[in-house]
Amino acid sequence: MSQNNFPKLHNATWPGVVGKGPDSEPPLLIETMLEYTAKAEVNGIKFDGVDVGLFDPSIDLNDPDGPKILADKVAKHNLAIGSVVAPIWGGPVLGTAEDRKTFLEEVRKSCVFAQKLNDSGIRKYGVVRIDSASSPEQYSKDPAGSQKLIVDTFKEAAKIAGDHGEKLAAEGEICWAGMHSWRTMLDTLEAVNSPNLGFQADMSHTFLYLLGYNEPGHRILPENFQWSDRAALEEGLKKLTAALRPWTIDFHVAQNDGTVHGTGSHDKTGRHCLATDPNGRLDIVKDAGYWLRDENGNLTKRFNHICWDGCMFPNSVMHNQQTWNDILAVMIKVREAHGWSA
């Protein structure tokens, strides 16, 4: 049995939806994701909770009873709720003024939803996750103007979050404008400069910052880098995490094979791999420590839970209970290595 009870171990529900749909496989509804999460068990240890995308077909932000319906579904499985994802993609920041108004309204509704989850007692920690809902290609047409729009909109969004007692976490994923490289992400965070906006690190997505896919000039690893050079990889991770760790308020454990991948409507993003994938480039347990510990090796304890994120697995994989047991097993190892008791 693990001696550490923090950070709490969460599974994400949105992999049942992201990359699924009419041009892919049918989505897995949240009830199904909750069942697999609750059934996972390793040496008597289970998941503590779930992080939830508020865009699941089962969730309607406009339904005043939505938070209670969700809370009841999750509580039935003896799970908690942590971070939630705001469904802001109908309001791309680099779109029209009306689009940005839509973006901010979705942030507001998500914060209200999160507040009601808090009031119900099912949620005691976590953030509201956002991105810019815009592509790096759009950004590149006018980098300075695009960056100003993103910063100004995120400032307004952070104020809304603060008004509702929430914090926003900007997702470090290369497919989103203003967060498509580590330097640009850092510029965005520093320019917004709000206590209500931080960074959401995903070991798979954020890992690709090292390779400069959407901003070659910002790559950290050399162009002739070989995956066998673990020492160089670790130096790259040290540089990356030194820059973004101080901003990190939400964290996903994940695996990546160093390539980009996408299915359905979610394209050109980091390839999430299974925890046991032999092609995975990360030493999950060790490399999680670069985010969970400071440069002196001390635990940061910046957040009370960590979450596994594994989007775009085939449904056959997701309907296999062993998939979730394997994921839980590596999450337990991360907590044993970088957790604490409270």
Side-chain angles (χ1 to χ4, degrees):
M1 289 284 288
S2 172
Q3 298 302 302
N4 295 327
N5 58 0
F6 279 89
K8 299 301 183 184
L9 306 181
H10 282 219
N11 193 21
T13 64
W14 57 80
V17 179
V18 174
K20 310 295 180 182
D23 54 352
S24 183
E25 296 182 301
L28 279 67
L29 296 182
I30 194 167
E31 291 85 351
T32 304
M33 296 297 294
L34 289 171
E35 286 173 12
Y36 284 126
T37 301
K39 286 178 184 175
E41 185 170 344
V42 178
N43 297 327
I45 301 173
K46 301 174 74 70
F47 279 108
D48 299 299
V50 289
D51 284 6
V52 179
L54 298 181
F55 50 87
D56 184 278
S58 305
I59 297 171
D60 180 1
L61 277 184
N62 297 310
D63 181 356
D65 295 325
K68 184 181 186 308
I69 293 169
L70 176 61
D72 289 347
K73 286 179 182 178
V74 175
K76 188 174 74 172
H77 294 282
N78 295 313
L79 295 166
I81 295 175
S83 296
V84 297
V85 183
I88 38 69
W89 303 285
V93 175
L94 299 186
T96 64
E98 194 61 34
D99 287 332
R100 286 184 285 281
K101 192 182 296 185
T102 298
F103 179 97
L104 293 170
E105 177 61 10
E106 292 301 303
V107 169
R108 186 195 66 79
K109 289 193 290 189
S110 298
C111 289
V112 169
F113 196 104
Q115 268 191 313
K116 290 180 178 178
L117 293 175
N118 297 347
D119 293 343
S120 76
I122 196 78
R123 180 175 181 263
K124 295 182 171 66
Y125 47 75
V127 302
V128 177
R129 199 185 88 196
I130 62 168
D131 54 63
S132 66
S134 302
S135 71
E137 289 82 1
Q138 178 74 14
Y139 183 97
S140 66
K141 294 174 184 177
D142 177 15
S146 297
Q147 185 69 358
K148 185 178 188 307
L149 280 176
I150 291 168
V151 168
D152 289 349
T153 307
F154 278 17
K155 281 182 177 179
E156 292 186 57
K159 184 179 184 305
I160 291 169
D163 289 344
H164 291 86
E166 291 292 332
K167 291 182 184 294
L168 304 179
E171 183 183 21
E173 186 170 357
I174 63 171
C175 66
W176 300 126
M179 41 201 70
H180 54 279
S181 84
W182 69 278
R183 283 188 191 167
T184 309
M185 183 74 257
L186 190 58
D187 287 346
T188 300
L189 292 164
E190 290 176 342
V192 174
N193 190 29
S194 169
N196 300 312
L197 178 76
F199 179 65
Q200 190 260 313
D202 177 293
M203 288 181 66
S204 177
H205 293 317
T206 310
F207 178 61
L208 294 182
Y209 282 162
L210 297 173
L211 301 170
Y213 273 110
N214 284 329
E215 189 65 72
H218 292 175
R219 70 177 294 147
I220 292 174
L221 293 173
E223 290 189 35
N224 61 353
F225 170 76
Q226 300 296 313
W227 290 111
S228 57
D229 191 349
R230 173 71 193 179
L233 178 58
E234 290 189 5
E235 284 305 308
L237 284 169
K238 287 176 184 176
K239 180 175 181 177
L240 176 65
T241 55
L244 290 171
R245 187 196 309 112
W247 292 92
T248 302
I249 58 173
D250 199 47
F251 182 65
H252 289 169
V253 179
Q255 179 59 286
N256 185 278
D257 64 4
T259 67
V260 292
H261 171 63
T263 59
S265 61
H266 207 73
D267 202 3
K268 294 180 181 175
T269 189
R271 182 186 292 272
H272 278 119
C273 297
L274 289 171
T276 54
D277 192 323
N279 295 316
R281 301 298 189 181
L282 289 160
D283 179 335
I284 296 177
V285 176
K286 181 173 183 179
D287 296 343
Y290 290 114
W291 293 101
L292 299 174
R293 295 177 180 274
D294 66 19
E295 62 277 9
N296 298 315
N298 299 313
L299 293 171
T300 65
K301 300 184 182 180
R302 291 288 305 279
F303 26 83
N304 287 321
H305 83 290
I306 55 177
C307 181
W308 174 269
D309 191 355
C311 290
M312 295 182 282
F313 294 144
N315 282 1
S316 58
V317 171
M318 299 184 71
H319 281 298
N320 181 358
Q321 184 63 51
Q322 190 59 43
T323 296
W324 309 105
N325 290 1
D326 290 342
I327 288 166
L328 177 58
V330 78
M331 295 287 284
I332 292 169
K333 289 178 181 176
V334 169
R335 181 164 69 184
E336 287 174 345
H338 309 296
W340 65 94
S341 298

